[in-house]
Each structure stands twice: as C-alpha cells, then as structure tokens.
Amino acid sequence: MEKYGVIVIGAGHAGVEAALASARLGISTLLLCTDVRSVANMPCNPSIGGTAKGHLVREVDALGGQMGLTADRALLQIKQLNLTKGPAVYSLRGQEDKALYHALMLEEIGAQQNLTLREAEAAKLLVEDGVVSGVELADGERIGCEAVILATGVYLNSRIITGDEIKTQGPSGLKGANLLTDSLVWLGLPMRRFKTGTPARIYRDSIDFSKMQAEWGGATDRFSFMSPTSVFEEEPCYLTYTNAETHRIIEENIARSPLYNGTISGIGPRYCPSIETKVMRFRDKERHQVFIEPEGPASEEMYIQGMSTSLPRDVQEKMYRTIPGLENCRFAKYGYAIEYDCLDPLSLKATLESKLIGGLFCAGQFNGSSGYEEAAAQGIIAGINAATRILGREALVLRRDQAYIGVLIDDLVTKGTNEPYRMMTSRAEHRIMLRQDNADMRLTPIGREIGLVSDARYERLLFKKQQMGCVFAVKDRAADREGSKKLLQKTGEEISERTPTLAELCRRPAVTAADIAPLLGFDVDSEALEAAVIEIKYEGYIKKELAAVNEQKRLESKLIPSDFDYSAISALRLEAREKLTLIRPANLGQASRISGVSPADIAVLIVALRGTSA
C-alpha cells in the first residue's frame, strides 16, 4: 500500500494551506481533489479579505502561509476598509484575478517538496483502533497515512439549486463528492446540512457602466508582510442599486424561491443573505447596494455582488434587468444555491483534531464556517497540527488574545455554530491588540519556532522591531516646537503652551504616522513607524486589555481532566452538566465560554477541581 504522512482531502483554500504547511514541515503529503480546476478556486466572490477577514489573511501570512503572497500577485485592486474608524478594525480587501490566483496556487503546489497533488475522489476513511490509518478512493485503491485532514468545502453530497432545477454537483459546475459522507456517519461523526449561494455572472459588454458609480481601491498596502508594493493595472468595481421594481418582481415570485417553498433544507449564512431574503426581511428598505466586480482583466464575466439568489432563471432575468446599468444584461451564469454536508465543530479539539478519531483533523467550510479566509486560517492550523502529531511535537493552539485565528477556532469548537460561521471584528474581545499591522509581531515568532517562517521573513520582522524600537526610544522627547505647532494647526488640534512630546502628539486623534515622520529627526521604515505610532496612540487601552488577558490566562491554565465526571457534581445546573459533558473543555477558560455555562457554574467547577487535585 502506498503511504504518506498526511492525506488532505479537498484542495480549496483550507486544503491548500493545510497541505503546504504539512509539506513545508517535512511531512510527505498527498492532496486529493475531485477536479484540478477546484484547486484554490473562487466559486463565489472574486476577492480576498474584507472586514476581519483581512486580519485572518495577515495572520496566515505571518505564520508562514501562502494566501496573502498569492493574493498580492493576483490583485486587480486593493482598498483599506474602515478608515473612518480606529486602526483595530482597519481591514484590507483585494479584488482578485481569480484565474491567475488559481494558476499561481497550482504553481506553488507543484514546486513544493514533499507534496503530491492527485485528482481522485475519497470514498472512505480507514480507521484502526480509533486512529486513522488511510483513505480508500472511489476506485477501491487504498492509501495509508498517519493523519488525514478533511477540507471538503461545499462538495460533500452537494446540490446546485436554481428554482426547480436541481443538479447533483459541486460549485462552478465541478464534480461533487458523493461517497465520503456515509463513511463519516458510520464512524460516528456528527454531520449536518448547510447551504450558501452565489449571484449571476453577467457579460461585461452587456453592462452600461455609465449608469453606475466607479469604485477604486487606491491603497498601497499589501496582504503579505513580504510583498513589495508592486505596480498593477487597477480595475474599477461599480456601484448600483436595486429599486422598487426589483423588489416587486421578487415578492411576486417568492413562492418559486427554493428558500421559501421548502426545496432547500440546509441552513444559510446570516451575514451574506440572498437578495430574496434581504427584500423579504427588510421590507422598509427602498434599495440595496449592488457591486459589479471584475473576475479578471481578460474575463468577460462580471460578478454581481449583493444579488445572490436561487430564484428561477426567468425571474433572475427580469429582476436583474430592473437595475440601472443592467437593463440589457446577458447572463454568462445564473445564480444558484448550493447545499452540502458538513461537521458539527463541537466534536473537535482546539487543535482541530477530532475528539472521536485520533489523527483526523478538519478544516474550512467542512467545520461549518464560511469564506475563503476562514478556511485558509483553519487550514494552516490543521496542517501544522497534523504534522506536529507525526513529529511528536506540541500542537499549536492560538489563544483568543493572540489572534483572530484563535477567536475563530475557539468559537467553532467551544460555542459551535448553527449557521455558516463568519468572522467579524466584534467577535474578538481583545481586538485593540489584534490589529492587521501587528500580526507579524504576534505570530511570526510562533511560525519561526514551528518551522514555517523563512530566514528572510524572520529578518524582516527583526528589522521592523529594531525600527520600532528607535521610535519608542524618543517618544518621550519634546517635539520640535515649530514643527509641532504647524502640525497641530494643520490638524485643527488645540495648541498648548508647553511643547508636547512625540508620544503626546501621537495620541492626538487626527495625527498620523506621516505627520510624525518629519519630527523624528531620522529616517525610519514607514511600516514600522505606522505600527509604532498605533502602539503609542493606544498604549493606555492596551495596558487595560493586558490586565484582562492575564485574568483569562489564569483560567486557561486550570486544566480539566479529559475524563472528568460532570454528572457527579450536583451543584452544577443540569444544562451546564450536559454542555460540559458534550464539549469536554480542556480548561476552565474554554468552559467559561460555552453557551449555557454560567459564571456560577464556573465557580462550582473551580471548587470541584480543587477537590480533585487534592
């Protein structure tokens, strides 16, 4: 029997990051996909990043992952979101050439040592004594391994639904995976049914862009800390709106919507609803935004963001053509919904390893999340931990105060999700510490210790730290009197009689890193200066956050035995006993975040654990 260290099933954004991480750590890795066209495919919007999602891309990059590097090479435009808010919620979003992104990822996979890509469908997991031992393919071939990573995305028993037309296939017309779910159910994995959707693609030459508002990126930032500020030919997106006539057509045909007539049973994403859901849910809203996005400079297809739908084709044609600029649009592809099988993530450890089967790791939309970025974030962690299991090293679990990746995984495995999970900045209680600009400061040392961070990447971090140190060394120095006065006049800030220090200037709301640069008296790297000014600006808030983090660490350090008998603690409420027994948290911190477990239950648990340790 052919044998690998790790077999990754699925080559979407989770599978690619998992396979690359495993291979880069020296593990022989097999990456399986049903169709090579599915590798790092973007079946939905042709973009990377977005609010909170940009943080995840930066964190994957800081650990030594691939998404940010490839996204930067395939850019059509990039913008910084939330600039009117604080730096904690700044988020990059890049419009991508989806065909180039796919091609670049294929190139990266092909060049990676220890990694083999194979077009084949996995039919069954092979398990011996509760530990995964291999995979059986659809043709009956068996391949041995020491760990498996399930990153099947939306392909398991997938159904494409447009009106009353139902096809058993994967997204973008690709082949689905119809054999593996039965094996997973037989092994006892708790499966469920989710759904997502996508809008139509419209031919570029059938759109009247003069009736729309052009939207440009304009940012010079990049996702990867290693990417140069490259020059690329920027393509605009376009903004238009639905109207009363659009809404009337949807309402009149709502009984034909699979979402409303019972054809679709899977649960859809709350934060990315279909246009029919938006119209029916927000009846008082006169219009909804619609963004027209290019899928590539050579592509004639434009993605109609905001118009996700599974309505019949004739209804789609009518409603799209009510939108300014789309009156004469021609359809390249119609919108559709897709239903698929996925896992209840409460059955996973914080390492993303199954609680039921040793050596089985899970990542991406298979875990109930949505989005390319959430998938990649889980993928790199699953790849790292599958490799560390084989190498006999300590697994990587990122805390909620260390990374958005830590928040994402902790939410999934501790709280679970009843709908496709989407990352948002509001989910991170320590977001003032988890900014885009400091993802490398937080995570690159961890990636270096694991073995994923190259010498060049680590040297770049050390240079940034050195440059920031130069700024911190002079922050309490009085600024140049005339220079600071001109700056405060320009920003409309109050001018005091005493000359402010550089730190005091940094803390003025309207003052930016670019304003501080001329007052330093020496040259400094712009990226390092930006990070240093943000640290100084929010120093007081960060100190308060650190105090809260230390309290949480105290709870995280109190481990709970894996065989702890919660049913024997009568002082625990019944709901808490049931939830704790089901989820089996690793420590008190995780236990405190379980829905249905109250602070009073935690207090009881602390006392019970003292008795156990005694």
Side-chain angles (χ1 to χ4, degrees):
M1 186 191 296
E2 188 180 13
K3 189 167 184 179
Y4 290 84
V6 170
I7 296 177
V8 181
I9 302 175
H13 302 280
V16 166
E17 291 291 348
L20 287 171
S22 170
R24 288 168 178 172
L25 291 175
I27 305 299
S28 61
T29 304
L30 175 64
L31 177 59
L32 296 175
C33 64
T34 56
D35 190 317
V36 73
R37 292 174 296 170
S38 69
V39 174
N41 182 32
M42 295 183 182
C44 198
N45 57 311
S47 67
I48 296 291
T51 302
K53 293 169 177 281
H55 291 71
L56 291 173
V57 181
R58 275 278 175 93
E59 290 180 352
V60 168
D61 180 72
L63 285 170
Q66 190 60 38
M67 175 175 267
L69 285 163
T70 301
D72 286 341
R73 291 178 63 191
L75 283 174
L76 296 176
Q77 70 160 249
I78 189 167
K79 64 171 62 177
Q80 190 79 265
L81 306 179
N82 298 330
L83 283 175
T84 58
K85 302 176 182 178
V89 295
Y90 290 174
S91 295
L92 285 171
R93 184 182 189 273
Q95 205 66 38
E96 302 291 326
D97 181 339
K98 63 186 290 185
L100 179 58
Y101 187 92
H102 161 76
L104 290 171
M105 278 300 195
L106 271 180
E107 183 181 294
E108 193 69 33
I109 291 166
Q112 179 61 53
Q113 285 186 324
N114 305 315
L115 180 55
T116 301
L117 174 65
R118 182 170 172 184
E119 201 172 71
E121 182 179 350
K124 182 188 291 186
L125 290 187
L126 306 178
V127 177
E128 296 177 8
D129 299 323
V131 178
V132 72
S133 61
V135 172
E136 183 176 303
L137 304 181
D139 63 4
E141 180 186 354
R142 293 189 165 199
I143 306 173
C145 64
E146 296 178 70
V148 167
I149 301 173
L150 290 175
T152 54
V154 298
Y155 284 80
L156 288 189
N157 285 336
S158 53
R159 296 196 312 162
I160 298 291
I161 304 167
T162 303
D164 56 4
E165 180 184 340
I166 300 174
K167 297 179 181 177
T168 303
Q169 63 182 41
S172 304
L174 299 173
K175 183 177 181 290
N178 302 314
L179 303 175
L180 188 58
T181 294
D182 288 345
S183 170
L184 303 181
V185 171
W186 186 83
L187 289 168
L189 297 181
M191 304 295 289
R192 66 220 315 212
R193 194 87 171 148
F194 276 180
K195 81 97 186 169
T196 187
T198 189
R201 271 61 162 187
I202 300 298
Y203 284 112
R204 189 191 294 252
D205 63 4
S206 70
I207 300 173
D208 184 353
F209 295 109
S210 68
K211 295 183 178 180
M212 302 176 180
Q213 176 183 327
E215 297 279 323
W216 298 88
T220 58
D221 308 82
R222 296 294 179 266
F223 286 114
S224 175
F225 291 98
M226 299 302 290
S227 291
T229 305
S230 58
V231 177
F232 59 92
E233 189 171 342
E234 186 175 10
E235 289 228 1
C237 298
Y238 294 88
L239 173 63
T240 184
Y241 296 89
T242 63
N243 51 55
E245 181 63 10
T246 319
H247 300 179
R248 183 190 66 77
I249 291 170
I250 291 170
E251 290 176 358
E252 286 184 356
N253 290 277
I254 200 66
R256 299 179 66 194
S257 168
L259 289 172
Y260 287 83
N261 63 20
T263 303
I264 292 176
S265 59
I267 301 170
R270 178 190 303 264
Y271 299 104
C272 189
S274 66
I275 185 62
E276 51 263 45
T277 298
K278 286 191 282 190
V279 168
M280 299 305 291
R281 185 180 296 167
F282 306 108
R283 289 177 177 271
D284 58 335
K285 196 161 186 177
E286 295 181 357
R287 64 180 190 173
H288 295 278
Q289 286 185 330
V290 178
F291 287 96
I292 314 300
E293 302 177 345
E295 297 208 331
S299 174
E300 276 302 306
E301 296 180 12
M302 302 292 281
Y303 180 87
I304 314 302
Q305 175 79 273
M307 290 288 286
S308 175
T309 184
S310 58
L311 282 162
R313 296 185 182 199
D314 63 304
V315 180
Q316 289 190 37
E317 291 174 0
K318 289 176 184 176
M319 72 180 188
Y320 271 75
R321 289 170 182 157
T322 64
I323 296 170
L326 298 181
E327 293 91 345
N328 300 303
C329 69
R330 291 183 293 110
F331 285 70
K333 298 183 181 76
Y334 289 86
Y336 62 81
I338 181 168
E339 281 191 318
Y340 56 96
D341 294 339
C342 57
L343 180 75
D344 183 344
L346 290 176
S347 65
L348 298 175
K349 301 175 185 177
T351 59
L352 294 182
E353 184 179 14
S354 170
K355 295 175 182 176
L356 303 174
I357 301 170
L360 176 62
F361 294 82
C362 306
Q365 286 185 264
F366 179 71
N367 288 350
S369 64
S370 69
Y372 312 145
E373 304 80 7
E374 290 89 341
Q378 294 170 68
I380 193 170
I381 299 299
I384 289 169
N385 286 336
T388 56
R389 175 186 168 90
I390 293 170
L391 295 169
R393 300 178 188 168
E394 184 178 354
L396 174 63
V397 176
L398 295 173
R399 301 188 309 270
R400 296 179 71 92
D401 62 281
Q402 284 181 302
Y404 270 83
I405 297 176
V407 175
L408 163 66
I409 293 175
D410 184 67
D411 277 355
L412 288 172
V413 305
T414 302
K415 302 175 181 178
T417 183
N418 292 319
E419 60 192 29
Y421 177 100
R422 177 179 178 175
M423 191 72 245
M424 296 180 289
T425 53
S426 60
R427 296 189 190 275
E429 60 269 40
H430 304 298
R431 58 185 172 274
I432 194 68
M433 298 166 58
L434 306 181
R435 306 183 308 275
Q436 278 190 147
D437 66 272
N438 69 359
D440 55 343
M441 305 287 283
R442 293 182 278 117
L443 298 178
T444 295
I446 295 173
R448 179 69 170 181
E449 186 176 347
I450 289 166
L452 279 182
V453 167
S454 66
D455 290 343
R457 182 181 287 277
Y458 195 60
E459 286 165 9
R460 174 64 188 158
L461 172 69
L462 294 179
F463 173 74
K464 180 178 178 180
K465 283 185 173 181
Q466 180 267 331
Q467 292 279 286
M468 291 178 68
C470 292
V471 178
F472 293 146
V474 299
K475 71 183 179 70
D476 294 321
R477 185 188 74 189
D480 174 73
R481 176 65 183 172
E482 285 305 309
S484 61
K485 186 176 179 180
K486 287 179 182 177
L487 170 58
L488 294 174
Q489 285 174 337
K490 185 190 85 169
T491 58
E493 300 275 349
E494 182 183 348
I495 301 173
S496 60
E497 292 184 9
R498 182 178 61 82
T499 302
T501 65
L502 286 168
E504 288 169 340
L505 285 175
C506 288
R507 293 186 188 112
R508 298 290 185 107
V511 172
T512 66
D515 297 324
I516 294 295
L519 302 177
L520 288 174
F522 54 86
D523 291 333
V524 66
D525 177 75
S526 59
E527 181 185 315
L529 176 60
E530 178 81 23
V533 168
I534 292 172
E535 286 285 332
I536 295 167
K537 192 181 287 285
Y538 292 97
E539 187 176 19
Y541 295 101
I542 291 170
K543 284 180 180 178
K544 289 181 181 179
E545 283 295 313
L546 284 171
V549 166
N550 289 333
E551 174 60 22
Q552 189 62 34
K553 282 182 181 176
R554 187 181 64 81
L555 287 176
E556 304 284 349
S557 68
K558 295 187 181 296
L559 303 181
I560 304 175
S562 59
D563 59 351
F564 191 80
D565 186 5
Y566 298 100
S567 64
I569 308 175
S570 58
L572 279 176
R573 293 177 308 110
L574 178 60
E575 182 184 7
R577 273 179 271 166
E578 290 175 349
K579 291 286 184 69
L580 290 164
T581 300
L582 172 67
I583 297 171
R584 298 221 155 267
N587 54 61
L588 281 176
Q590 189 181 3
S592 70
R593 295 187 292 275
I594 296 174
S595 174
V597 177
S598 69
D601 295 319
I602 296 299
V604 170
L605 201 50
I606 289 172
V607 173
L609 287 170
R610 283 178 188 156
T612 301
S613 60

